[in-house]
Every structure is written in C-alpha cells, then in structure tokens.
C-alpha cells in the first residue's frame, strides 16, 4: 500500500512519503505502520541486509528525515517504523513502556522480512526498544547501532524532566504536553516550538517533529554536530 500524504507537510517530507511504500502489521487492537524505501535496482546492494530505523520518544519515523535518502542512495533497503503507541501505530496490548514493544516489532519484522536479519538503528527511546529486541530475538539483528540511547548506566549532567501525558484523554492537553516535551528534548531555538506536531493535530499519539528537522531546529547531538544528522547512522553506508 502506498502512503498517503498531506499538502501541508514540508517538501522534503512530502517527497519521502510519496516515494515510500506504507505497510501495516498487526499491533494491539490495530496496526503498526512502517514506511519502506527500496533502492534503484542498479544501486541495490544484495549482499547487505535491510536497515530498520526505530525513532525516539515524542516522535515518529520522521526522526530519520535526513538519513533515509542517503541510505537509499547508498543501495540500502530502509524500513522506518512508527513504534507501537507512537505516530500512526496502535498501542501494544501488553503495556506502554519499552519492554512491551519488542514483541509487536518482531512480529511485524517476521511478516515483512521473514527470517532475514537486519541492521537495526535506533535513537533515544528507540535504542532501549532495540536493545530489548536484540536480546530477545538475537537472530534478527546483524548489527545494532544505538544513538543517544538511555539505560546504559551512563550518568548525564543535563537530564531533562518530561511531563507525563498518557493518562490524559483530551487531545489538546496531549498536544500541549507533546510540544513541551519535544522542545525540552530536541529544539534549541524557541521559534521551533511551533513545529512540534503542527502538521498532525488530530493524532493522539506522540508529536511529530519533522518540521523542526526541516527548519534545522533540533538540539545538537554533540559539539560541532549537524542538528539534523544522527551520529553513527552513516556507519551503515558501505
């Protein structure tokens, strides 16, 4: 199934969505959404496994806005997920924390990839999910790349306190908290706060920061780092 797109999205994201194949796999009471890009047959690298991208909290597959096309141009087949309970994906049936997500993610990969192993790349909260998945389903993961992952026992001097939101039923209240959390985590210029989830006000899941990425408003991952490029992902380019 090809993906739908909205004309109010930034041009880069519109281009990505229209070039992707949108697939859905069972998850909870609904489905888990995947966006898939395959390289031109002349560029495809048959000897390399698919790349699976897991986004961070307060986001969706659009966290990888600046990484997908370079990977596809390098000949990689790319699967970018909306994790269960995030973006367009339904919540998992067994809980809401990271340890509840590996089972539906692996079930989806079983449908999409069969027994093929993948290079698994994960950012922030997605890194914790990826760690659980690799531990529970080691045959699935050929290489694991973690970007800014929590739970590694590394103390941070700049911890960010996030506001809880899952107990709220009012979409407007959720949206306000998503904007606040996204700004605290990722947006380093105040004018970027307006972009947090702006194109998807109807969603009840986490906000989508794609317009912030388009405007170059993310917090920097490290000294001298490009604010939209996640360190480590380019290691997958052959």
């Amino acid at each position: 199934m090809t993906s739908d797109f909205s004309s109010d999205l930034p041009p880069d994201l519109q281009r990505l969505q229209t070039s992707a194949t949108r697939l859905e796999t069972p998850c909870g009471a609904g489905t888990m959404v995947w966006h898939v890009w395959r390289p031109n047959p002349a560029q495809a690298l048959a000897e390399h496994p698919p790349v699976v991208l897991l986004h961070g909290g307060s986001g969706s597959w659009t966290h990888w806005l600046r990484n997908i096309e370079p990977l596809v141009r390098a000949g990689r087949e790319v699967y970018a997920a909306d994790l269960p309970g995030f973006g367009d994906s339904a919540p998992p049936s067994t809980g809401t924390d990271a340890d509840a997500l590996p089972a539906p993610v692996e079930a989806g990969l079983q449908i999409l990839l069969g027994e093929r192993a993948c290079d698994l790349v994960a950012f922030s909260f997605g890194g914790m999910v990826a760690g659980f998945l690799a531990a529970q389903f080691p045959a699935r993961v050929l290489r694991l790349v973690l970007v800014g992952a929590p739970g590694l026992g590394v103390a941070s001097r700049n911890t960010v306190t996030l506001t809880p939101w899952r107990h709220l039923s009012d979409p407007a209240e959720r949206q306000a908290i998503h904007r606040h959390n996204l700004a605290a985590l990722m947006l380093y210029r105040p004018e970027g706060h307006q972009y947090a989830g702006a194109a998807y006000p109807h969603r009840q899941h986490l906000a989508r920061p794609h317009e912030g990425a388009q405007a170059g408003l993310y917090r920097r991952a490290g000294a001298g780092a490009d604010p939209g490029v996640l360190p480590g992902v380019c290691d997958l380019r052959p």
Side-chain angles (χ1 to χ4, degrees), residues 3 5 24 26 33 40 67 82 96 103 121 125 129 139 146 149 151 191 193-195 220:
S3 62
F5 69 95
E24 299 182 13
V33 174
N40 183 298
N67 305 106
D82 277 353
T96 58
V121 185
F125 173 80
V129 177
L146 301 180
E191 61 267 34
H193 298 185
Q194 63 180 303
Y195 292 113
R220 295 185 180 272

Side-chain angles (χ1 to χ4, degrees), residues 203-228:
R203 300 300 181 196
Q204 295 188 18
H205 303 311
L206 292 183
R208 301 172 182 228
H210 50 266
E211 293 196 17
Q214 173 74 9
L217 296 167
Y218 282 160
R219 289 190 181 277
R220 295 185 180 272
D226 183 283

Side-chain angles (χ1 to χ4, degrees), residues 8 57-59 63 160-166 168 170-212 217-219:
D8 61 353
S58 296
H63 272 176
V160 176
T161 301
L162 300 181
T163 303
W165 60 271
R166 291 186 182 274
L168 298 174
D170 179 33
E173 291 184 31
R174 284 190 170 207
Q175 183 78 346
I177 291 178
H178 293 336
R179 288 176 182 273
H180 166 80
N181 288 345
L182 185 61
L185 280 170
M186 297 182 185
L187 302 180
Y188 67 91
R189 295 213 308 266
E191 61 267 34
H193 298 185
Q194 63 180 303
Y195 292 113
Y200 294 87
H202 61 293
R203 300 300 181 196
Q204 295 188 18
H205 303 311
L206 292 183
R208 301 172 182 228
H210 50 266
E211 293 196 17
L217 296 167
Y218 282 160
R219 289 190 181 277

Side-chain angles (χ1 to χ4, degrees), residues 24-234:
E24 299 182 13
T25 57
C27 179
T31 62
M32 180 175 173
V33 174
W34 306 76
H35 291 81
V36 183
W37 294 262
R38 295 183 175 91
N40 183 298
Q43 297 176 304
L45 299 171
E47 71 275 18
H48 289 279
V51 178
V52 174
L53 305 176
L54 303 184
H55 62 80
S58 296
S60 67
W61 70 269
T62 57
H63 272 176
W64 304 101
L65 174 63
R66 296 190 179 184
N67 305 106
I68 291 168
E69 288 183 320
L71 287 168
V72 175
R73 284 197 301 268
R76 308 304 297 271
E77 182 181 16
V78 177
Y79 292 75
D82 277 353
L83 285 170
F86 295 73
D88 283 332
S89 293
S93 57
T94 56
T96 58
D97 213 338
D99 57 354
L101 273 57
V105 173
E106 167 59 22
L109 290 173
Q110 185 67 38
I111 293 171
L112 299 176
L113 303 181
E115 300 301 326
R116 283 194 295 166
C118 67
D119 285 342
L120 183 60
V121 185
F123 166 56
S124 190
F125 173 80
M128 184 175 291
V129 177
F132 284 132
L133 191 150
Q136 294 174 31
F137 307 101
R140 175 65 62 194
V141 181
L142 186 64
R143 285 192 290 180
L144 177 64
V145 178
L146 301 180
V147 184
L152 300 179
V154 179
S156 172
R157 293 176 295 175
N158 300 308
T159 56
V160 176
T161 301
L162 300 181
T163 303
W165 60 271
R166 291 186 182 274
H167 64 288
L168 298 174
S169 58
D170 179 33
E173 291 184 31
R174 284 190 170 207
Q175 183 78 346
I177 291 178
H178 293 336
R179 288 176 182 273
H180 166 80
N181 288 345
L182 185 61
L185 280 170
M186 297 182 185
L187 302 180
Y188 67 91
R189 295 213 308 266
E191 61 267 34
H193 298 185
Q194 63 180 303
Y195 292 113
Y200 294 87
H202 61 293
R203 300 300 181 196
Q204 295 188 18
H205 303 311
L206 292 183
R208 301 172 182 228
H210 50 266
E211 293 196 17
Q214 173 74 9
L217 296 167
Y218 282 160
R219 289 190 181 277
R220 295 185 180 272
D226 183 283
V229 176
L230 302 177
V233 176
C234 290

